[in-house]
Amino acid sequence: MCIKRVSSKFITLLVVLAMLISTFCFTFPVSAADRGEWAPYTTYAADDIATYNGNAYTCLQSHTSLPGWEPTNVPALWKAGGTAAVATPAFNPAPGTYNSTQTVAISCATTGATIRYTTDSSEPTASSTAYASPLTISATTSIKAKAFKSGMADSATASGTYTINTNVVATPTFSPAGGYYANTQSVTISCSTSGATIRYTTDNSTPTSASPVYSGAISVTKSTTIKAIAQKAGMTDSNVANESYTIGGSLQKRVLIGYWHTWGGDASGGVPFVKLRDVDPNWDVINIAFAEPVTPGSTTGQMKFAVTGLTSSYTINDFKADIKTLQSKGKKVVLSIGGYAGYFSLTTASAATTFANDIKGFINEYGFDGIDIDLEQTSVEFINGSDPDFKNPVSPKIVNMISGIRQICDSYGSNFILSWAPETFYLQLGYQYYGGLNSGCDRRAGVYIPMIYALRDKTTYVHAQLYNSIQVMGLDGKYYSMGNSEAVVAMCEMMLKGFHCGGNSNYFFPGLRADQIAIGVPSSQGSAGSGQISNAQLQQAFSTLNAAYPTLRGIMTWSINWDAFQNSNSFAKSNGAYLDSLQ
């Protein structure tokens, strides 16, 4: 027999491996236990139970596992069999102190396990009460729960105490309840806790001990959210109660809004001109597009308004008469300002006044019911990166535009309509990029935010243009392309819930009321470059939002003319009937 010489390096390597195995793989024993699912780099003691591929295995020798050492691969370390334990039950919400009755759910991660529980401090057994539905806890209660499953060891016992603070002031209640009301409402607030003081707010802020004291019925003359708390010495403050009241005045609860072109019928006008008297009766609000600057791109504030589709058989007097006829039928006719070609800026206070006076002249001459703001291009923009606080803007174009619009609104009564039609670039994009805060982005990103905030007391509704849009990030961090129900819901929820501007937690744009939101989409394939959505998907999105926000105002589209030309008015007929069904 020939014996080959073994090198000293190889012998050294064997010794090192032996030392590693003795120190790393076979560690000091720990107490045996059910270790759950097998995992590498885990220390197991003899008699531990681990689950692998749905089967239980018993550890034969203490060791720390490595990749590839699964129980099925290393019979020297594991044997099939053993009784794994059921997962320990979990409570939701977690045990703790609460100021009101709690509904407590008990769950178990082990599929098919039966949960049994006690509330008398005794240990749960297989004959204890079986958990079937969430428990209602109205007084301090200790719960113990255990899970059982045939072929597995019983779970560990979960226990927790729910302390219900009974020394808490009752939550205030409102009468009448929130909702849509055509006229002014007298709202009373009450609290069942004798001697409690009620404090309230109407600016969407949370009431505190410094808020006004409720002393009698509140007259709600415009759409308002009232929030209230009740306080009493020696007791915990009540929960905050809130109700939203939509005061419609002469505007109905749900509205279908369409833009009507003042032009059309020639080579440059695209779709044919439609006489105002011939618009489909399903339209509730007709936005007349557009009032424009005398000179595009000007800063003087001088404005013009003209209907260029007129003929000898349809004169300006016919147009004015049609406005009155539509209004007699309950329709609203609103003057839209701007548009893509009608861009202008107000850089001085005097320009803002000139703008306001010119627009008021058109309103008075034609009898419009309000104004719609559709500013595009460079009409408004930030001093890039140097105007971070939307509550206190300093950019001249923004400050003066706010002033001009407020001068107009202040000249008319509470039924005067102020609507906004920002592209997503000018509103929702402000969540990720805000031109006044983020110096590296476009100066117009989010530029409608300070205007809407400053004029939210005058704002009837906002119908952002969910078309001709880039992908926009929603509150969930996902990017949305327009033209589907998910995108519609995500973009509207940004306006309803509010968001931080430019990702900065110091600047939170608060959400609008649901009655201040309408969904804006194209009416036909030819009316916009993107964002088209079927009536069915649009109505699905509205229903989803309306379930959570039941006073959602309505639907807007560009445009009435395109719908008549390309759809035979099917957008108006389908969505008008849908909104009517929700009244």
Side-chain angles (χ1 to χ4, degrees), residues 315-544:
T315 67
I316 193 65
N317 287 331
D318 292 326
F319 173 75
K320 291 180 178 179
D322 282 356
I323 291 176
K324 293 189 182 334
T325 299
L326 289 170
Q327 290 170 331
S328 71
K329 297 177 179 179
K331 311 298 183 183
K332 301 299 180 184
V333 184
V334 171
L335 179 62
S336 186
I337 300 170
Y340 183 79
Y343 65 99
F344 65 98
S345 300
L346 304 177
T347 56
T348 63
S350 61
T353 299
T354 298
F355 162 75
N357 289 337
D358 282 359
I359 295 298
K360 287 191 291 183
F362 306 142
I363 293 169
N364 297 337
E365 179 182 354
Y366 292 88
F368 292 122
D369 293 293
I371 56 173
D372 171 71
I373 308 301
D374 188 10
L375 304 173
E376 299 187 23
Q377 298 203 59
T378 56
S379 294
V380 279
E381 55 188 353
F382 292 105
I383 301 172
N384 193 237
S386 300
D387 194 358
D389 186 1
F390 67 84
K391 294 181 179 180
N392 300 286
V394 296
S395 300
K397 288 185 178 182
I398 297 172
V399 171
N400 290 300
M401 190 63 72
I402 291 170
S403 172
I405 295 170
R406 183 168 288 280
Q407 288 179 54
I408 297 168
C409 293
D410 284 348
S411 300
Y412 303 96
S414 60
N415 289 334
F416 187 78
I417 293 171
L418 171 61
S419 63
W420 305 82
E423 296 179 352
T424 54
F425 185 89
Y426 301 129
L427 181 56
Q428 286 95 337
L429 187 68
Y431 172 50
Q432 189 176 13
Y433 303 108
Y434 186 73
L437 177 66
N438 309 130
S439 59
C441 71
D442 192 296
R443 293 193 301 273
R444 299 166 297 170
V447 75
Y448 268 62
I449 292 171
M451 295 192 296
I452 292 173
Y453 182 81
L455 292 159
R456 66 188 298 144
D457 62 314
K458 299 292 186 180
T459 295
T460 310
Y461 44 75
V462 178
H463 37 53
Q465 300 178 33
L466 306 183
Y467 46 92
N468 295 340
S469 170
I470 60 173
Q471 281 192 331
V472 180
M473 179 189 286
L475 298 177
D476 56 4
K478 297 179 181 178
Y479 285 89
Y480 290 88
S481 296
M482 303 306 114
N484 57 78
S485 59
E486 292 79 11
V488 169
V489 171
M491 294 301 101
C492 289
E493 283 190 330
M494 295 182 77
M495 294 186 284
L496 289 159
K497 294 180 178 179
F499 51 84
H500 293 107
C501 294
N504 191 309
S505 60
N506 293 318
Y507 303 107
F508 182 76
F509 173 64
L512 298 167
R513 300 188 314 271
D515 63 280
Q516 291 178 303
I517 302 296
I519 300 172
V521 297
S523 65
S524 70
Q525 286 301 311
S527 61
S530 65
Q532 286 80 7
I533 184 172
S534 69
N535 291 333
Q537 281 217 15
L538 173 59
Q539 292 164 23
Q540 176 186 334
F542 197 102
S543 294
T544 298

Side-chain angles (χ1 to χ4, degrees), residues 180 252-255 284 553 576-583:
Y180 175 84
Q252 62 204 69
K253 181 178 181 180
R254 312 285 186 181
V255 290
D284 301 305
R553 178 63 81 175
Y578 167 76
L579 291 175
D580 288 344
S581 73
L582 302 177
Q583 296 291 343

